[in-house]
Short mmCIF file of all heavy atoms in Angstrom, two decimals:
data_model
loop_
_atom_site.label_atom_id
_atom_site.label_comp_id
_atom_site.label_asym_id
_atom_site.label_seq_id
_atom_site.Cartn_x
_atom_site.Cartn_y
_atom_site.Cartn_z
N ASN X 39 40.19 113.07 2.37
CA ASN X 39 39.26 112.00 2.04
C ASN X 39 38.25 112.54 1.04
O ASN X 39 37.73 113.65 1.20
CB ASN X 39 38.52 111.49 3.27
CG ASN X 39 37.41 110.51 2.92
OD1 ASN X 39 36.24 110.88 2.76
ND2 ASN X 39 37.76 109.25 2.78
N ILE X 40 38.01 111.78 -0.01
CA ILE X 40 36.99 112.11 -1.00
C ILE X 40 35.86 111.08 -0.88
O ILE X 40 36.11 109.88 -0.90
CB ILE X 40 37.53 112.09 -2.42
CG1 ILE X 40 38.62 113.15 -2.61
CG2 ILE X 40 36.42 112.33 -3.44
CD1 ILE X 40 39.24 113.16 -3.99
N SER X 41 34.63 111.56 -0.74
CA SER X 41 33.47 110.68 -0.79
C SER X 41 32.64 111.05 -2.00
O SER X 41 32.62 112.20 -2.42
CB SER X 41 32.64 110.79 0.49
OG SER X 41 32.18 112.12 0.68
N MET X 42 31.95 110.06 -2.56
CA MET X 42 31.19 110.30 -3.79
C MET X 42 29.95 109.44 -3.83
O MET X 42 29.91 108.35 -3.23
CB MET X 42 32.07 110.03 -5.01
CG MET X 42 32.57 108.60 -5.11
SD MET X 42 34.05 108.41 -6.15
CE MET X 42 35.32 108.87 -4.96
N LEU X 61 26.43 104.26 -7.62
CA LEU X 61 27.77 104.19 -7.06
C LEU X 61 27.87 105.00 -5.78
O LEU X 61 27.36 106.12 -5.69
CB LEU X 61 28.80 104.74 -8.05
CG LEU X 61 28.85 104.12 -9.45
CD1 LEU X 61 29.88 104.85 -10.29
CD2 LEU X 61 29.19 102.64 -9.38
N THR X 62 28.52 104.45 -4.77
CA THR X 62 28.92 105.18 -3.57
C THR X 62 30.30 104.72 -3.19
O THR X 62 30.64 103.55 -3.34
CB THR X 62 27.95 104.93 -2.39
OG1 THR X 62 27.88 103.51 -2.14
CG2 THR X 62 26.56 105.47 -2.68
N GLY X 63 31.13 105.63 -2.73
CA GLY X 63 32.47 105.21 -2.38
C GLY X 63 33.27 106.31 -1.72
O GLY X 63 32.78 107.44 -1.53
N SER X 64 34.48 105.97 -1.35
CA SER X 64 35.38 106.94 -0.73
C SER X 64 36.81 106.58 -1.06
O SER X 64 37.14 105.43 -1.39
CB SER X 64 35.18 107.00 0.78
OG SER X 64 35.54 105.76 1.38
N LEU X 65 37.68 107.56 -0.98
CA LEU X 65 39.09 107.41 -1.30
C LEU X 65 39.90 108.31 -0.38
O LEU X 65 39.56 109.48 -0.18
CB LEU X 65 39.34 107.81 -2.76
CG LEU X 65 40.78 108.04 -3.20
CD1 LEU X 65 41.54 106.71 -3.21
CD2 LEU X 65 40.85 108.70 -4.57
N ASP X 66 40.98 107.77 0.19
CA ASP X 66 41.92 108.56 0.99
C ASP X 66 43.17 108.84 0.15
O ASP X 66 43.63 107.98 -0.60
CB ASP X 66 42.34 107.80 2.26
CG ASP X 66 41.19 107.63 3.23
OD1 ASP X 66 40.39 108.57 3.38
OD2 ASP X 66 41.09 106.55 3.85
N TYR X 67 43.71 110.04 0.29
CA TYR X 67 44.96 110.35 -0.40
C TYR X 67 45.74 111.38 0.39
O TYR X 67 45.18 112.10 1.24
CB TYR X 67 44.70 110.85 -1.83
CG TYR X 67 44.08 112.22 -1.95
CD1 TYR X 67 44.88 113.34 -2.17
CD2 TYR X 67 42.70 112.40 -1.87
CE1 TYR X 67 44.32 114.61 -2.30
CE2 TYR X 67 42.13 113.65 -2.01
CZ TYR X 67 42.95 114.76 -2.22
OH TYR X 67 42.38 116.01 -2.34
N ARG X 84 49.67 110.59 -3.16
CA ARG X 84 49.56 109.14 -3.01
C ARG X 84 48.10 108.76 -2.77
O ARG X 84 47.47 109.25 -1.82
CB ARG X 84 50.41 108.65 -1.83
CG ARG X 84 51.90 108.63 -2.11
CD ARG X 84 52.68 107.95 -0.99
NE ARG X 84 54.10 107.87 -1.29
CZ ARG X 84 54.67 106.86 -1.93
NH1 ARG X 84 53.93 105.83 -2.33
NH2 ARG X 84 55.97 106.85 -2.16
N LEU X 85 47.56 107.92 -3.65
CA LEU X 85 46.23 107.38 -3.45
C LEU X 85 46.36 106.19 -2.52
O LEU X 85 47.03 105.20 -2.84
CB LEU X 85 45.62 106.95 -4.78
CG LEU X 85 45.57 108.01 -5.90
CD1 LEU X 85 44.78 107.45 -7.09
CD2 LEU X 85 44.96 109.30 -5.41
N LEU X 86 45.72 106.26 -1.35
CA LEU X 86 45.88 105.25 -0.32
C LEU X 86 44.85 104.14 -0.40
O LEU X 86 44.92 103.17 0.34
CB LEU X 86 45.81 105.91 1.07
CG LEU X 86 46.79 107.07 1.29
CD1 LEU X 86 46.61 107.65 2.67
CD2 LEU X 86 48.22 106.61 1.08
N GLY X 87 43.92 104.29 -1.31
CA GLY X 87 42.91 103.25 -1.48
C GLY X 87 41.57 103.62 -0.86
O GLY X 87 41.42 104.64 -0.20
N GLY X 88 40.62 102.79 -1.08
CA GLY X 88 39.26 103.00 -0.60
C GLY X 88 38.37 101.91 -1.17
O GLY X 88 38.85 100.86 -1.61
N ALA X 89 37.08 102.16 -1.19
CA ALA X 89 36.14 101.16 -1.70
C ALA X 89 35.01 101.85 -2.44
O ALA X 89 34.62 102.97 -2.11
CB ALA X 89 35.57 100.32 -0.56
N MET X 90 34.51 101.17 -3.47
CA MET X 90 33.39 101.65 -4.25
C MET X 90 32.30 100.59 -4.27
O MET X 90 32.56 99.44 -4.65
CB MET X 90 33.83 101.96 -5.69
CG MET X 90 32.70 102.42 -6.60
SD MET X 90 32.19 104.12 -6.26
CE MET X 90 33.58 105.03 -6.93
N ALA X 91 31.10 100.94 -3.80
CA ALA X 91 29.96 100.02 -3.84
C ALA X 91 29.18 100.29 -5.11
O ALA X 91 28.81 101.43 -5.41
CB ALA X 91 29.07 100.23 -2.62
N VAL X 92 28.93 99.23 -5.87
CA VAL X 92 28.23 99.32 -7.14
C VAL X 92 26.94 98.52 -7.05
O VAL X 92 26.96 97.33 -6.70
CB VAL X 92 29.09 98.78 -8.30
CG1 VAL X 92 28.36 98.95 -9.63
CG2 VAL X 92 30.45 99.48 -8.33
N HIS X 99 27.71 95.00 -5.11
CA HIS X 99 29.01 94.43 -4.79
C HIS X 99 29.99 95.58 -4.58
O HIS X 99 29.79 96.70 -5.05
CB HIS X 99 29.51 93.49 -5.89
CG HIS X 99 29.87 94.18 -7.16
ND1 HIS X 99 28.93 94.53 -8.11
CD2 HIS X 99 31.08 94.59 -7.64
CE1 HIS X 99 29.52 95.11 -9.13
NE2 HIS X 99 30.82 95.18 -8.88
N THR X 100 31.05 95.29 -3.85
CA THR X 100 32.06 96.30 -3.51
C THR X 100 33.38 95.94 -4.13
O THR X 100 33.79 94.78 -4.12
CB THR X 100 32.20 96.42 -1.98
OG1 THR X 100 30.94 96.77 -1.40
CG2 THR X 100 33.22 97.49 -1.61
N GLN X 101 34.06 96.92 -4.69
CA GLN X 101 35.36 96.69 -5.28
C GLN X 101 36.33 97.76 -4.82
O GLN X 101 35.91 98.86 -4.43
CB GLN X 101 35.28 96.67 -6.80
CG GLN X 101 34.79 97.97 -7.43
CD GLN X 101 34.51 97.80 -8.91
OE1 GLN X 101 33.59 97.10 -9.32
NE2 GLN X 101 35.33 98.45 -9.73
N PRO X 102 37.61 97.46 -4.82
CA PRO X 102 38.58 98.44 -4.32
C PRO X 102 38.76 99.60 -5.27
O PRO X 102 38.62 99.47 -6.48
CB PRO X 102 39.87 97.63 -4.19
CG PRO X 102 39.72 96.54 -5.20
CD PRO X 102 38.26 96.20 -5.23
N VAL X 103 39.09 100.74 -4.69
CA VAL X 103 39.52 101.90 -5.46
C VAL X 103 41.04 101.81 -5.60
O VAL X 103 41.73 101.41 -4.65
CB VAL X 103 39.12 103.20 -4.75
CG1 VAL X 103 39.70 104.43 -5.45
CG2 VAL X 103 37.60 103.31 -4.69
N PRO X 104 41.60 102.12 -6.77
CA PRO X 104 43.03 101.88 -6.98
C PRO X 104 43.93 102.72 -6.09
O PRO X 104 43.58 103.83 -5.69
CB PRO X 104 43.22 102.24 -8.46
CG PRO X 104 42.13 103.22 -8.74
CD PRO X 104 40.96 102.74 -7.93
N THR X 105 45.07 102.16 -5.79
CA THR X 105 46.13 102.92 -5.14
C THR X 105 47.11 103.39 -6.21
O THR X 105 47.09 102.92 -7.35
CB THR X 105 46.88 102.04 -4.12
OG1 THR X 105 47.42 100.90 -4.79
CG2 THR X 105 45.94 101.58 -3.02
N GLY X 106 47.95 104.34 -5.87
CA GLY X 106 48.91 104.83 -6.85
C GLY X 106 49.69 106.01 -6.32
O GLY X 106 49.51 106.46 -5.18
N PHE X 126 49.87 103.86 -11.27
CA PHE X 126 48.61 103.51 -10.63
C PHE X 126 48.32 102.03 -10.76
O PHE X 126 48.63 101.40 -11.78
CB PHE X 126 47.44 104.30 -11.25
CG PHE X 126 47.59 105.79 -11.11
CD1 PHE X 126 48.17 106.53 -12.13
CD2 PHE X 126 47.17 106.43 -9.98
CE1 PHE X 126 48.32 107.89 -12.01
CE2 PHE X 126 47.32 107.80 -9.84
CZ PHE X 126 47.89 108.53 -10.86
N GLU X 127 47.69 101.50 -9.72
CA GLU X 127 47.23 100.12 -9.76
C GLU X 127 46.14 99.99 -10.81
O GLU X 127 45.31 100.88 -10.97
CB GLU X 127 46.68 99.74 -8.38
CG GLU X 127 46.16 98.32 -8.27
CD GLU X 127 45.50 98.08 -6.92
OE1 GLU X 127 45.30 99.06 -6.17
OE2 GLU X 127 45.18 96.92 -6.63
N SER X 128 46.11 98.90 -11.54
CA SER X 128 45.12 98.70 -12.59
C SER X 128 43.84 98.13 -11.99
O SER X 128 43.75 96.96 -11.65
CB SER X 128 45.65 97.73 -13.65
OG SER X 128 44.69 97.54 -14.67
N VAL X 129 42.85 99.01 -11.83
CA VAL X 129 41.53 98.62 -11.32
C VAL X 129 40.48 99.25 -12.22
O VAL X 129 40.67 100.33 -12.75
CB VAL X 129 41.34 99.08 -9.85
CG1 VAL X 129 39.95 98.75 -9.35
CG2 VAL X 129 42.39 98.42 -8.96
N ALA X 130 39.36 98.59 -12.38
CA ALA X 130 38.37 99.00 -13.39
C ALA X 130 37.66 100.30 -13.05
O ALA X 130 37.22 101.02 -13.92
CB ALA X 130 37.34 97.89 -13.58
N THR X 131 37.53 100.65 -11.79
CA THR X 131 36.66 101.75 -11.39
C THR X 131 36.94 103.07 -12.12
O THR X 131 36.02 103.70 -12.63
CB THR X 131 36.74 101.97 -9.87
OG1 THR X 131 36.36 100.76 -9.22
CG2 THR X 131 35.80 103.08 -9.44
N PRO X 132 38.18 103.57 -12.21
CA PRO X 132 38.39 104.87 -12.85
C PRO X 132 38.01 104.89 -14.31
O PRO X 132 37.80 105.95 -14.88
CB PRO X 132 39.90 105.10 -12.67
CG PRO X 132 40.36 104.13 -11.64
CD PRO X 132 39.42 102.97 -11.75
N LYS X 133 37.97 103.74 -14.99
CA LYS X 133 37.67 103.73 -16.41
C LYS X 133 36.25 104.23 -16.71
O LYS X 133 35.92 104.51 -17.84
CB LYS X 133 37.83 102.31 -16.96
CG LYS X 133 39.24 101.75 -16.83
CD LYS X 133 40.26 102.58 -17.57
CE LYS X 133 41.64 101.92 -17.51
NZ LYS X 133 42.67 102.73 -18.17
N LEU X 134 35.41 104.31 -15.67
CA LEU X 134 34.08 104.87 -15.88
C LEU X 134 34.16 106.31 -16.38
O LEU X 134 33.25 106.79 -17.04
CB LEU X 134 33.27 104.83 -14.56
CG LEU X 134 32.91 103.44 -14.04
CD1 LEU X 134 32.32 103.55 -12.64
CD2 LEU X 134 31.95 102.73 -14.97
N ALA X 139 41.88 108.26 -17.15
CA ALA X 139 41.28 108.98 -16.03
C ALA X 139 42.03 108.79 -14.72
O ALA X 139 41.90 109.60 -13.82
CB ALA X 139 39.82 108.56 -15.84
N GLU X 140 42.84 107.72 -14.62
CA GLU X 140 43.61 107.51 -13.40
C GLU X 140 44.46 108.73 -13.08
O GLU X 140 44.67 109.10 -11.93
CB GLU X 140 44.52 106.28 -13.51
CG GLU X 140 43.79 104.99 -13.81
CD GLU X 140 43.78 104.68 -15.29
OE1 GLU X 140 43.75 105.65 -16.08
OE2 GLU X 140 43.79 103.49 -15.66
N THR X 143 42.01 112.36 -12.73
CA THR X 143 41.07 112.38 -11.61
C THR X 143 41.78 112.24 -10.28
O THR X 143 41.14 112.33 -9.23
CB THR X 143 40.02 111.27 -11.74
OG1 THR X 143 40.70 110.00 -11.79
CG2 THR X 143 39.15 111.45 -12.94
N SER X 144 43.09 112.01 -10.28
CA SER X 144 43.82 111.88 -9.01
C SER X 144 44.25 113.23 -8.46
O SER X 144 44.87 113.29 -7.40
CB SER X 144 45.05 110.99 -9.21
OG SER X 144 45.97 111.60 -10.08
N MET X 276 28.09 112.52 -10.59
CA MET X 276 28.54 112.21 -9.25
C MET X 276 28.53 113.44 -8.37
O MET X 276 28.99 114.50 -8.78
CB MET X 276 29.96 111.62 -9.29
CG MET X 276 30.14 110.37 -10.13
SD MET X 276 29.30 108.93 -9.43
CE MET X 276 30.34 108.63 -8.01
#
Side-chain angles (χ1 to χ4, degrees):
N39 172 266
I40 297 178
S41 59
M42 62 202 82
L61 304 177
T62 56
S64 65
L65 166 69
D66 293 321
Y67 71 97
R84 285 188 177 270
L85 306 187
L86 306 179
M90 177 74 73
V92 183
H99 69 277
T100 301
Q101 61 190 68
V103 173
T105 58
F126 300 94
E127 180 186 10
S128 180
V129 177
T131 302
K133 299 300 185 182
L134 294 171
E140 302 96 328
T143 58
S144 65
M276 302 291 289

